[in-house]
Amino acid sequence: GPSPTVVHATPLEGDDLARLRDGGAIVCACPTTERDLGDGILDALGMLRAGIGVCIGSDSHTLLDAREELRLLEGHARLRHERRNVLSDPANGRYRPSEVLLEWGASVGARSLGVESGVIEVGARADLLGIDTEAGADLPANAQAAARAVDRWLFSTVERACRLV
């Protein structure tokens, strides 16, 4: 189709990134599956730089945890590039990896599925995630600290702090 979703895409070589980008592809990464099967590490930074949308999925069913899949994209990128905050995108105003990862997990994931979701706008599905600041997660409650709250949710809080609303 005009916008295919390619699952895994860990064994890339040569001009594969350019071909994915030029073909309008979305890559569905399954980091826990790829880790458990020894399939390799996604070149998430290369995809970010090439403008290729990444979403997450799982096909091993040993763990179904969207937050862990997103967290592993940054974790694997840190291992590959031996530094922190790899998946930030300052050129496009995204200074925290959580900003990129949330976009990939929400709007790119929705695009891959062909549903109007992943954004808050008229006509889109209202699939929202609430973060309970009283669940012992030590999250700031004011709007000014929302970015830090997302960072903490993604990289350090307990799962019980999150629920669909």
Side-chain angles (χ1 to χ4, degrees), residues 10 96 157:
T10 53
R96 295 173 152 87
T157 63

Side-chain angles (χ1 to χ4, degrees), residues 31-32 35 63 65-73 154:
T32 60
R35 175 195 63 202
L63 175 67
D65 184 341
R67 191 175 66 143
E68 181 65 8
E69 300 289 348
L70 291 170
R71 182 182 6 228
L72 279 174
L73 289 173
L154 188 57

